[in-house]
Structures are given as C-alpha cells and as structure tokens.
Amino acid sequence: MDSHHSHRSLTASLLRHLESEEALLRAALSNVTGLNAALLRGDLASGRAICAGQPALADALHTAADARGAAAAALARELGLAAAGVTLAALAERLAPDLQAEILAARTRLTALTSDLTAIQARNANLTAHLRSFFRGVLSELTAADAPPRYGPTGRRI
C-alpha cells in the first residue's frame, strides 16, 4: 500500500471516530439540556429518568475517545509523528489540504460541543446546589424549635 493511500485510509478511519464521538457529544448535550429543563420545571421524575441514561452515555463517550485516540496514534505513526500526546492540529498539518480541512472542521465541532456541554453541566451543578440549599433551609424551618442543632456538609449549623 503506498503512503498516500495509507494516509487517506487512516485519516478516513480517524474521521469516522470523530463523527461517532460528535454524535455521542450531541446526545450528551441533549441529555444534560433535558436535565436542566426538568430541574427548572421541578419535574423530578423526568430528571431521574434522564439521569438513568447518563452512565451508559458516559461509558460510550469514554470508549469513543479511546478509539479516537488509537486512530490518531496510528495516523501519527504513519506520518512520522510521536503517537503519544499527538493533537488533531498536529496531524492536520501533515495531511493534504482537503483532509486537513476535514480534520480541523471536526476538531472545531468537537471543541464547540465540549464547551457547550461543560457550560450546561456547570449550570446544572449550580442549580442543584441552590436547590439543596433551599430545601435544607425549608427543612430547618419546619423542625421544632427545641430540636438539637444539625450541621451541613460544610460543618456549619443548618
């Protein structure tokens, strides 16, 4: 197999892995966005149902990332680069312009999805913390006045 054909074949494999990872990131984004909407509505049943699917999605994302890493390492070796820690940008620099554009476009999409996912996860974490704090306060107010003091996870009296 000539080098040019090998580069194209390995690049096509990497692009398939990137597409798979992109689809999983889109599903994860949809999942956490749905969780955010359920939390804002106070729909605990929907939130619970959404959370039930998260471990399988996280496992699939880890598997996809590992597969992408292996495909990138194989292409890096073919291009004469060190496989350890190789980046998509470094791979793209060594490819023909059409392949370079495809790799960089996929990288841009993955970066945007990851950024969106991180942002919504942070909003969900903040919302959950706020709801916890609110319910601790409500429960504290509902407790009898002569109840012994209770302490929260920070060590402060509730």
Side-chain angles (χ1 to χ4, degrees), residues 2-104:
D2 73 342
S3 177
H4 180 71
H5 182 70
S6 181
H7 289 102
R8 286 205 173 269
S9 175
L10 289 170
T11 302
S13 174
L14 176 58
L15 285 167
R16 282 191 302 276
H17 288 293
L18 291 170
E19 288 171 12
S20 173
E21 196 169 3
E22 183 179 344
L24 287 167
L25 283 170
R26 287 187 190 288
L29 182 59
S30 175
N31 188 281
V32 295
T33 300
L35 178 58
N36 184 266
L39 289 172
L40 289 172
R41 287 189 316 267
D43 185 352
L44 298 180
S46 290
R48 206 173 303 117
I50 290 167
C51 286
Q54 287 183 334
L57 192 51
D59 288 345
L61 277 164
H62 287 295
T63 300
D66 290 345
R68 180 213 351 113
L75 180 58
R77 285 189 295 275
E78 178 68 25
L79 295 171
L81 297 170
V86 71
T87 64
L88 293 176
L91 291 172
E93 283 180 13
R94 298 281 186 104
L95 295 171
D98 61 323
L99 297 175
Q100 182 179 45
E102 286 186 68
I103 293 287
L104 293 177

